[in-house]
Amino acid sequence: MNNKMTAITGNEAVAYAIKQINPDVMAAYPITPQTDIVEKYSEYVADGLVNTEFITVESEHSAMSACVGAAAAGGRVMTATSANGLALMFEILYVASSNRLPIIMPMVNRALSGPINIHCDHGDSMAARDSSWIQIYSENVQEAYDNTIQAVRIAEHMEVRLPIMVMFDGFITSHGIECVELLEDNKVAKFVGKYPPRYPLLDIDHPVTYGPLDLYDYYFEHKRQQIEAMRKAKKVVLEIGKEFKKAFGREYKLFEEYRLSDAERAIVVLSSTAGTAKEVVDELRTKGEKVGLLKLRLFRPFPYKEIAQTLSHLKAIAILDRSASFGAFGGPLFTEIRSALLEADKIPHNVNYIYGLGGRDINQTDIASIYADLEKIVKTSRVEERVKYFGVRE
Amino acid sequence: MANLKELSKKEEILSGGHRLCAGCGASIVVRQVLSALDDPVVVANATGCLEVATTIYPYTSWKSSFIHNAFENAAATISGTEAMFKSLKRQGKIDKEIKFIAFGGDGGTYDIGLQSLSGALERGHNFVYVCYDNEGYMNTGIQRSSATPRGAWTTTTPAGKVIPGKAQYHKNLTEIVAAHNIPYVAQANPWRWNDLIEKARKAFYTDGPAFINVLSPCPRGWRFDSKDTVKISKLAVQTNFWPLYEVENGVWKLNYRPKERKPIKEWMEAQGRYRHLFRSENEHIIKEIQEEIDKNWEKLLVKCGEK
């Protein structure tokens, strides 16, 4: 392979992936920490390196609205955003998915206002978890790049036809420079293939009506079809992951199991914190501790059966949420996993840690202390506090 | 100039059987505007009366491609569709000529959709935006908008004991759009159908964004008999309440000048929404509205080089 290793930030890598995907239309608005993607892409457009018609909209609401108009017209469409930008798109996220438009959106995780904060947590994408967008989370720059490329095939798959957001952590991944393998242009072009249109507005010989008034006599059936498409996406995520491995060597599944098969205690976590936790796992393993990690990649659709099966042999698990679901029994990842565990033969002790809101750092010592907490739970067979707030002054 | 005989031979893009009210101005406006086309068109529509009455699933009244996205984003939506057309054309994937138009009511244009419209105009997309201005949120049951004229009753500006209808004058959206310095802006009305069709033709065949603000009388909201839609339209022009003009590449032109300006009272008398203004304690409001209309007319004459 002639792929090149490059030291590059997450935003640059994702902008580069978009350049290689070469969408027909991109409509985007700058927001910290996503801004570099829009800036970098503007350079590609200005230098004539892409075919993209780049719509420099006046807001994220219009970004998503223009994406809907462009995708319905019949071509490949991308955008990118963060936090408040995603919140401003919210109404149209649902319009995009209900029209079954496979829009591809890198989403740089950042805390939602207010108070205003530009640093990483997952409150933004978690708020959109019921919008019928496929959600994939990336641990590092390489994954953000690889996932963006795979996202095209997943969203555009004829059995899916749903929009997709690819998450990576604001600043930690978006601005962190890492050494990654960038693929060759022609190989990416071959992998993503040509856009397969479906009922395009621009096919004027076959006129279609998008977005009709859909009342109690049909709405429910349409929602049921959407639920089915989302269910089918899981299989497609695995298929595309396999194909990606065959083409480029890196493996992507629904989640990553890290030293988990013989572990007794484990942490379940999304995105960059998984990288930190892996270091801790390695360190504790050298001391003979049976610890492991499950890093979830696909959050929507939620692979509950596979997760339940994979976690059921453990004695205790800590589920780490980098977002709060106000008034709920724990964070979004916790409620999903705890519910999924009811499908398992045996339910491990489980505890939720809400951590890192607004970019509050979590380090290896912190994570080691969570594994130590789990050890205590295993020894006493008791969970004293089900939902914990980690690293906060109380 | 459009010829009635020729127009009658054209296939309608908005078919009959839709569920707009009898006497609704919107369908008349849409049919007149689309009759100016010689090319295929993609229609975008903001949420509103026109959208809910023409696309009740599984039916559609639209013989062209049509997209409704949401209330506030018809302009952004059509800008995306137009951008895709441009992209595919540049890549040699499409060779036909296609026109793009967005329809929005005054709620979706003057108010909640103003940002989306302004953005799309500034970016210079090649599309036409037509506002069918029925001076209120009629689809949700006659609430005030920034297009509702002063003094009018709506369900959110009721004719109360202390506040007699809407207190503010309506926003001059046509001039706001003209300030974007786009190639073509016009104000029209279904009574002067030939003027409207001619304006639509210019709008479609101008390179870049074009905007037409069309008064669209609403029998339900304005409280008049549904047979009187065109009569009410005519009064709006004859009283100078709704002057007909256009701004083509920055040049203002008056398209119609009443021989003798009728008093605004005549326009108001024809509509139940102004009834409360004829009570003795409110008559000063009619006088003030008349003064405002006369003042605005004089300003328009200057802009149009008529003075």
Side-chain angles (χ1 to χ4, degrees):
Chain A
M1 278 212 252
N2 302 314
N3 301 326
K4 50 180 178 177
M5 296 302 290
T6 313
I8 195 170
T9 69
N11 279 343
E12 285 168 348
V14 166
Y16 195 72
I18 303 172
K19 172 178 171 274
Q20 294 180 308
I21 293 163
N22 199 0
D24 299 305
V25 169
M26 169 129 162
Y29 191 77
I31 180 170
T32 305
Q34 157 268 34
T35 311
D36 311 331
I37 297 176
V38 179
E39 285 178 350
K40 196 74 203 163
Y41 208 73
S42 301
E43 289 173 24
Y44 296 143
V45 173
D47 291 338
L49 299 174
V50 286
N51 292 325
T52 310
E53 193 65 32
F54 186 33
I55 316 177
T56 47
V57 280
E58 83 297 336
S59 71
E60 287 90 353
H61 194 283
S62 284
M64 190 45 64
S65 300
C67 282
V68 165
R76 187 168 281 152
V77 177
M78 295 188 74
T79 182
T81 197
S82 285
N84 297 20
L86 183 70
L88 190 55
M89 289 178 179
F90 219 83
E91 179 197 24
I92 313 304
L93 293 180
Y94 285 72
V95 176
S97 56
S98 76
N99 277 306
R100 309 291 296 278
L101 302 172
I103 297 161
I104 304 134
M105 175 161 71
M107 225 301 298
V108 191
N109 280 116
R110 158 185 157 178
L112 279 173
S113 294
I116 188 167
N117 178 304
I118 56 167
H119 293 284
C120 177
D121 74 35
H122 301 157
D124 49 359
S125 55
M126 283 300 164
R129 66 192 185 272
D130 288 339
S131 63
S132 184
W133 280 62
I134 297 163
Q135 288 199 342
I136 286 183
Y137 288 79
S138 320
E139 179 188 324
N140 52 36
V141 176
Q142 186 73 64
E143 287 192 9
Y145 173 78
D146 291 349
N147 282 334
T148 301
I149 292 165
Q150 290 175 67
V152 178
R153 294 284 307 285
I154 297 163
E156 292 175 3
H157 194 283
M158 280 302 177
E159 285 187 47
V160 179
R161 301 304 280 198
L162 285 171
I164 186 164
M165 47 181 97
V166 174
M167 266 60 73
F168 52 103
D169 282 349
F171 290 107
I172 302 163
T173 307
S174 68
H175 289 62
I177 296 173
E178 292 173 25
C179 196
V180 296
E181 185 191 36
L182 298 174
L183 307 169
E184 284 180 78
D185 289 354
N186 61 347
K187 285 182 183 162
V188 174
K190 193 175 162 225
F191 184 83
V192 297
K194 281 202 171 75
Y195 177 77
R198 199 174 200 186
Y199 309 120
L201 284 172
L202 296 178
D203 182 4
I204 40 136
D205 297 326
H206 302 93
V208 282
T209 289
Y210 272 86
L213 179 66
D214 196 21
L215 302 173
Y216 36 65
D217 39 6
Y218 288 98
Y219 181 90
F220 203 170
E221 280 74 22
H222 291 142
K223 289 295 130 182
R224 183 67 190 85
Q225 289 176 357
Q226 227 174 299
I227 292 164
E228 193 56 16
M230 186 56 100
R231 191 185 66 79
K232 285 179 178 166
K234 186 178 74 180
K235 185 180 62 127
V236 173
V237 167
L238 284 170
E239 274 172 28
I240 303 300
K242 257 186 211 157
E243 214 180 298
F244 189 87
K245 190 190 174 188
K246 206 175 156 198
F248 306 117
R250 283 184 293 278
E251 183 164 51
Y252 288 89
K253 294 181 176 174
L254 306 175
F255 46 79
E256 182 189 342
E257 297 164 54
Y258 190 76
R259 307 186 83 161
L260 195 62
S261 58
D262 67 334
E264 291 176 355
R265 288 170 282 147
I267 280 175
V268 181
V269 72
L270 294 165
S271 298
S272 68
T273 307
T276 316
K278 282 175 187 172
E279 292 290 321
V280 179
V281 169
D282 289 346
E283 202 182 302
L284 295 178
R285 282 275 178 175
T286 61
K287 295 177 190 163
E289 296 194 32
K290 287 192 165 178
V291 293
L293 173 90
L294 187 145
K295 178 190 78 189
L296 191 59
R297 175 179 180 237
L298 184 68
F299 186 76
R300 282 290 180 270
F302 192 76
Y304 60 95
K305 272 186 191 155
E306 294 82 352
I307 286 181
Q309 211 170 6
T310 307
L311 295 176
S312 70
H313 75 276
L314 289 151
K315 288 185 177 165
I317 53 175
I319 296 134
L320 272 58
D321 268 292
R322 199 163 199 158
S323 63
S325 180
F326 298 92
F329 181 32
L333 191 55
F334 175 72
T335 52
E336 293 282 354
I337 287 182
R338 197 166 146 90
S339 165
L341 285 172
L342 293 172
E343 300 290 304
D345 302 331
K346 197 176 124 303
I347 301 179
H349 291 298
N350 51 79
V351 57
N352 187 202
Y353 290 81
I354 310 282
Y355 80 99
L357 301 191
R360 177 71 48 91
D361 197 24
I362 186 161
N363 60 31
Q364 294 179 39
T365 314
D366 296 330
I367 289 170
S369 79
I370 293 173
Y371 281 112
D373 287 354
L374 288 179
E375 193 178 12
K376 205 174 140 199
I377 287 171
V378 172
K379 271 186 189 152
T380 60
S381 261
R382 273 189 59 195
V383 176
E384 279 174 17
E385 208 179 350
R386 187 72 66 183
V387 180
K388 292 184 162 195
Y389 300 90
F390 190 87
V392 66
R393 294 185 290 270
E394 300 219 45
Chain B
M1 290 287 270
N3 173 314
L4 261 189
K5 208 171 170 183
E6 290 302 311
L7 285 178
S8 68
K9 289 180 198 158
K10 272 199 162 177
E11 202 198 344
E12 297 259 7
I13 291 170
L14 178 68
S15 74
H18 58 70
R19 303 180 198 188
L20 286 161
C21 303
C24 173
S27 57
I28 305 172
V29 170
V30 169
R31 290 172 59 216
Q32 290 184 1
V33 166
L34 295 180
S35 75
L37 272 168
D38 292 322
D39 290 297
V41 68
V42 177
V43 175
N45 191 185
T47 308
C49 292
L50 179 64
E51 170 260 329
V52 301
T54 59
T55 66
I56 305 180
Y57 189 87
Y59 305 105
T60 181
S61 307
W62 297 90
K63 291 184 180 171
S64 66
S65 279
F66 172 97
I67 181 165
H68 158 250
N69 187 342
F71 190 10
E72 67 285 44
N73 63 359
T77 304
I78 202 74
S79 81
T81 310
E82 184 261 3
M84 182 57 78
F85 172 72
K86 221 186 270 174
S87 177
L88 297 184
K89 199 157 194 190
R90 185 158 32 78
Q91 295 176 60
K93 292 178 183 172
I94 203 164
D95 55 2
K96 286 179 176 150
E97 187 52 41
I98 303 177
K99 298 293 179 188
F100 299 91
I101 187 167
F103 289 104
D106 50 290
T109 311
Y110 282 67
D111 287 352
I112 199 167
L114 184 60
Q115 175 185 319
S116 168
L117 174 65
S118 177
L121 296 175
E122 184 270 337
R123 294 193 299 272
H125 296 275
N126 192 12
F127 77 115
V128 179
Y129 192 103
V130 170
C131 174
Y132 67 98
D133 177 1
N134 54 26
E135 304 191 324
Y137 295 102
M138 301 322 191
N139 190 42
T140 42
I142 319 164
Q143 291 83 36
R144 65 94 83 187
S145 76
S146 63
T148 305
R150 185 176 171 205
W153 160 92
T154 70
T155 56
T156 51
T157 55
K161 285 177 186 149
V162 181
I163 307 171
K166 194 189 173 198
Q168 302 83 9
Y169 290 103
H170 62 275
K171 188 191 274 181
N172 192 331
L173 181 69
T174 312
E175 293 201 8
I176 292 168
V177 172
H180 287 70
N181 294 319
I182 59 170
Y184 189 75
V185 180
Q187 195 160 281
N189 166 306
W191 168 54
R192 301 287 288 178
W193 58 271
N194 222 324
D195 175 72
L196 172 53
I197 294 170
E198 187 57 21
K199 284 171 176 168
R201 199 191 55 75
K202 280 188 189 176
F204 280 123
Y205 293 93
T206 292
D207 198 23
F211 175 86
I212 312 177
N213 200 2
V214 191
L215 191 74
S216 177
C218 172
R220 287 281 301 126
W222 299 6
R223 302 301 201 221
F224 65 82
D225 197 326
S226 50
K227 70 176 168 33
D228 291 335
T229 303
V230 174
K231 189 180 114 187
I232 297 282
S233 299
K234 188 175 175 181
L235 272 172
V237 179
Q238 289 178 325
T239 55
N240 289 343
F241 173 84
W242 191 261
L244 306 181
Y245 65 96
E246 63 193 338
V247 187
E248 205 172 347
N249 296 313
V251 181
W252 292 62
K253 186 183 169 195
L254 193 69
N255 304 117
Y256 179 84
R257 189 172 187 147
K259 283 200 181 74
E260 197 178 334
R261 188 269 286 153
K262 287 190 171 176
I264 194 64
K265 220 172 174 171
E266 284 190 34
W267 148 266
M268 290 173 160
E269 275 166 350
Q271 303 169 54
R273 62 174 170 162
Y274 290 115
R275 193 167 42 214
H276 55 284
L277 294 188
F278 292 90
R279 294 203 296 259
S280 60
E281 71 270 25
N282 291 334
E283 275 181 348
H284 69 100
I285 299 173
I286 299 180
K287 194 170 156 265
E288 285 164 27
I289 293 171
Q290 183 66 68
E291 286 167 8
E292 180 74 8
I293 285 172
D294 291 343
K295 192 179 79 190
N296 288 338
W297 175 255
E298 291 300 313
K299 281 199 263 182
L300 182 65
L301 288 182
V302 172
K303 281 177 189 149
C304 293
E306 300 269 339
K307 251 196 159 171

